[in-house]
Amino acid sequence: GVNIAVFFTFNGRGNRGKISKIIRDNYGEKYNIHIGYLGKNGQKGRRSVQKEYYDKILDSKIVVTANPAWCEGDWRLFEALGCAALTIVDKMITPVKNRLEDGKHLLYYESKNELIKKIDYYIKNLDEAQMIATSGHNHVLKHHTAKARIDEILEEIKNIERKQVNEN
């Protein structure tokens, strides 16, 4: 199987390109790594299940990702967690209900050195990595599916409506 996977390329803008290079330069000769897109890319790829892509995630022990510049928590993050890979992502700070916790559901990094340190540790401690990955997988299936997100929004709307009724 793949030890470490990154599902974007070297020429990616900003942090994503840097992360790809860090993985290639630090792990390319020591481990079986995957870097790059699989299946149909972009909007085209969001219209159907990309079997090749999911097979690669399912075959990966560690998936390293980075949030897009404009948001936190993209498809790659939740797909990796949903496939029960140990997921390592740059730190997210937006407050959300049922937050993903560092060391419990996934791993966060804030610097190149922290990313390398965490990969070095967990690639040698795969039982511990799998415990975190399984916890993240279960947490996402319970709290971060489309249904769970819609239920959360509807509950917020009900709370606002209750508050308005009580004020009148």
Side-chain angles (χ1 to χ4, degrees):
V2 175
N3 297 107
I4 305 164
V6 177
F7 293 100
F8 32 82
T9 63
F10 303 114
N11 58 3
R13 290 177 284 161
N15 204 26
R16 290 182 166 187
K18 291 176 190 171
I19 297 306
S20 298
K21 289 175 187 161
I22 289 168
I23 300 306
R24 178 195 64 195
D25 295 346
N26 289 276
Y27 302 102
E29 294 187 17
K30 295 185 230 175
Y31 296 103
N32 183 9
I33 66 169
H34 168 81
I35 296 173
Y37 300 111
L38 287 170
K40 295 176 184 169
N41 189 20
Q43 289 300 102
K44 204 179 227 184
R46 293 289 167 223
R47 294 186 185 135
S48 63
V49 173
Q50 303 294 305
K51 184 176 179 346
E52 183 182 10
Y53 169 65
Y54 287 104
D55 285 346
K56 187 64 76 176
I57 295 175
L58 289 165
D59 192 42
S60 300
K61 293 174 180 63
I62 297 174
V63 173
V64 178
T65 191
N67 289 294
W70 60 89
C71 71
E72 292 181 336
D74 71 343
W75 285 102
R76 282 182 191 90
L77 172 68
F78 288 102
E79 289 162 346
L81 288 162
C83 289
L86 176 63
T87 305
I88 307 177
V89 64
D90 52 327
K91 188 172 182 183
M92 298 189 299
I93 58 171
T94 303
V96 295
K97 194 173 182 181
N98 301 306
R99 184 168 185 74
L100 295 162
E101 296 178 39
D102 184 40
K104 182 175 180 182
H105 304 121
L106 49 56
L107 301 173
Y108 290 118
Y109 64 89
E110 293 189 66
S111 68
K112 173 185 173 180
N113 289 339
E114 185 179 13
L115 173 61
I116 290 170
K117 183 178 173 184
K118 287 184 176 188
I119 292 172
D120 288 348
Y121 177 82
Y122 285 99
I123 200 78
K124 293 178 180 133
N125 294 280
L126 291 174
D127 288 344
E128 197 173 335
Q130 192 54 59
M131 285 176 31
I132 295 169
T134 300
S135 176
H137 172 80
N138 293 337
H139 184 77
V140 164
L141 291 182
K142 183 175 181 182
H143 299 291
H144 295 284
T145 62
K147 180 188 181 320
R149 193 66 81 212
I150 290 168
D151 288 346
E152 186 179 320
I153 292 166
L154 292 174
E155 185 61 34
E156 276 300 309
I157 291 169
K158 285 179 190 174
N159 289 339
I160 291 167
E161 288 173 348
R162 278 188 213 117
K163 185 178 177 184
Q164 289 173 345
V165 166
N166 290 337
E167 288 174 355
N168 293 330

